[in-house]
Every structure is written in structure tokens, then in C-alpha cells.
Amino acid sequence: MEEMFTPEGPGGPEETLEKQRLMENKAGIFQNLRWWSERLPQVRLRLVQLLISMGLFLLLVTILSQVSRFQQALQSWPGARKKSQSPATQKQIQEELEVINYRLARMNVTLERLCRQCPWDWELFQGSCYWFSRSQSDWMSTDSACQHMNARLVVVNSVSEEKFLQSWEIRHEKRTWIGLSDHHDEASWRWVDGTPLQLSFWKPGEPNNDNNEDCVELYNDGWNDDKCHKEKAWICEKPMVSCTNV
């Protein structure tokens, strides 16, 4: 009977598989390190902002408690005592209240400066926040990705907005999905928010619906209709946050 031979020397299948596993593990480690190195500055910045916000909040609580104590003290004094207060005492109380009001005003200004009208990595333009993708995906997936960020694929409402989207550096030279399609009703172009197309920036000869092109891409010289399954970059949009309502 012939004995089965399993290569154990250099270059055998087992050694080759082991090398592949080691290479995959190293690749995974490098990817994790790269992921953390890209996001560590943002994490540090957000931590600093959180600590500053907590400190300001505690200071605000302290000031408000002082105001409350002054109000309670003033209300607890009998009317006869109020009338018999000396001018010096009244002046002292007035000065202390003015100091508290000044601190509250300074606190309000500081909080407004800390307020971010757009999330990190988003850009503010005319009351809206915009996020420009670094990766590519099909139109349907990009629409879902924007919804997961409480946003939508960008809706272009003005000439200035179109110019802003065209000029943004990260999008330059990239074919980019916008929130316009006619996949529900052929030749009836609608935005993702349900509004019909009114203002458009089509390239010459577009849209031509060449072999069922139902989704719209933004390019350097205008808009073009293309097949929705193709993978492209995309832009999400959502309203900015009003700092006065924070």
C-alpha cells in the first residue's frame, strides 16, 4: 500500500496558509491603526469641547443659584424693612445684581461661540450643512446613507448653491450623485423631498435617458442622467442648527 505524503518542508500548503493568515492579521492591524490615526484628532477635539461645555454648564448653574438666593432674600424681607433700607445697602444689592447679569451675558456669548451649526466634517452654506463623501456607492444606497445621518441627498435650489457644490475641493473632478431622479415616473424628475424639478443645470443634450438612465449626477460642466446602479460619490444635506435655540 502506498503511503500518503503530506509536504512539510518549505513551501508546503500548511506553511503557505499560515503565511496568508499572518499577512491578513497584519493587514487588519494596520487598517485598525490607520482608522484610529485618522479619527484620533477629532476624538481629542470633541473631548476638549465636552469638558469646556461641562465647565461652563457648572458655572452657569452656580450663577443661577446666586440669582435665586438673592431673589429669595429680597422676597423674605418685610415691607417695612425694605422701606427702611439705607441707600448704601440698596446700592450694594444693585451692584451685585449688575455683576451677575454681566456674568450671564458673558456666559451666553461663550456658549454661542461653542455652538456648532453643522456637525464635524460638514460644511455650512446659506443655512444648510453639506457632507461630501470620500467613497462611492449606487444612488439608492447613498440616499439611505444620508437618511441614517438625519439628512438627504442634496437638493439644489439656487444658482449660488450649484456654484458652491461645483467649487468644493473634495468633490472636484468627481462624478457625484444628487437627490434627483425619475425612477418612479419616467421623464418626471423629482427631488428626494418630493418636489418637482424647476431650476436645472443640465449639460447640453441631457437628459437623454440612454438605456434607462433614471438618476442624476453632478459633474464639472453640469448635470447628467445615468444608471442608478453605478457607484459614484455623493452629497448629503440637512438644515443647520440655530445656536439661539440650543
Side-chain angles (χ1 to χ4, degrees):
M1 180 181 296
E2 297 183 358
E3 295 182 356
M4 297 185 64
F5 175 72
T6 303
E8 297 180 354
E14 294 181 356
E15 184 177 352
T16 301
L17 290 174
E18 184 63 25
K19 288 182 178 179
Q20 289 178 351
R21 293 192 190 99
L22 290 173
M23 293 178 64
E24 291 173 357
N25 290 336
K26 290 180 180 179
I29 292 172
F30 285 132
Q31 288 178 356
N32 289 333
L33 290 174
R34 180 181 177 184
W35 188 91
W36 278 108
S37 64
E38 291 176 351
R39 287 158 177 79
L40 189 56
Q42 297 180 8
V43 173
R44 289 177 178 173
L45 187 58
R46 292 177 185 176
L47 180 59
V48 171
Q49 185 186 31
L50 177 61
L51 293 175
I52 294 174
S53 300
M54 290 176 63
L56 290 172
F57 175 75
L58 293 175
L59 181 58
L60 179 61
V61 171
T62 303
I63 295 175
L64 291 177
S65 65
Q66 292 178 359
V67 174
S68 178
R69 284 199 299 270
F70 270 110
Q71 290 177 343
Q72 291 176 1
L74 289 173
Q75 292 174 358
S76 63
W77 290 346
R81 187 176 179 181
K82 289 181 182 179
K83 293 180 181 179
S84 63
Q85 289 176 11
S86 66
T89 304
Q90 293 179 357
K91 182 179 179 181
Q92 181 182 0
I93 294 174
Q94 184 64 31
E95 288 176 351
E96 291 177 349
L97 289 175
E98 288 178 356
V99 170
I100 291 175
N101 288 331
Y102 172 76
R103 290 178 179 176
L104 288 173
R106 290 286 302 273
M107 175 73 70
N108 186 50
V109 171
T110 304
L111 289 174
E112 287 183 354
R113 289 176 180 173
L114 285 175
C115 172
R116 288 188 60 85
Q117 295 176 310
C118 293
W120 297 101
D121 298 331
W122 292 62
E123 295 299 322
L124 176 64
F125 179 75
Q126 293 186 347
S128 293
C129 301
Y130 299 84
W131 182 83
F132 297 81
S133 74
R134 272 76 170 173
S135 58
Q136 297 183 341
S137 189
D138 62 273
W139 191 90
M140 294 295 184
S141 297
T142 62
D143 187 31
S144 299
C146 290
Q147 292 179 28
H148 284 308
M149 294 187 285
N150 295 320
R152 66 188 182 193
L153 275 175
V154 63
V155 175
V156 183
N157 293 310
S158 65
V159 175
S160 59
E161 186 178 19
E162 172 73 8
K163 290 182 178 179
F164 164 75
L165 299 176
Q166 290 281 6
S167 64
W168 187 241
E169 182 178 357
I170 194 171
R171 197 220 61 79
H172 190 58
E173 298 295 339
K174 289 184 179 179
R175 296 181 179 272
T176 310
W177 287 128
I178 61 176
L180 183 63
S181 71
D182 69 342
H183 65 273
H184 291 300
D185 186 8
E186 187 63 42
S188 178
W189 297 99
R190 288 187 174 273
W191 295 102
V192 289
D193 62 0
T195 57
L197 176 64
Q198 295 179 345
L199 179 66
S200 62
F201 301 92
W202 295 109
K203 294 170 58 176
E206 302 295 343
N208 58 12
N209 195 34
D210 183 19
N211 196 17
N212 196 27
E213 296 177 331
D214 293 333
C215 296
V216 179
E217 64 174 359
L218 173 72
Y219 200 49
N220 296 337
D221 54 349
W223 298 354
N224 172 56
D225 58 338
D226 204 351
K227 298 177 179 61
C228 299
H229 69 269
K230 290 187 176 180
E231 294 190 347
K232 307 178 190 291
W234 71 94
I235 306 171
C236 297
E237 176 188 7
K238 64 181 175 180
M240 73 175 189
V241 174
S242 176
C243 289
T244 57
N245 296 327
V246 174

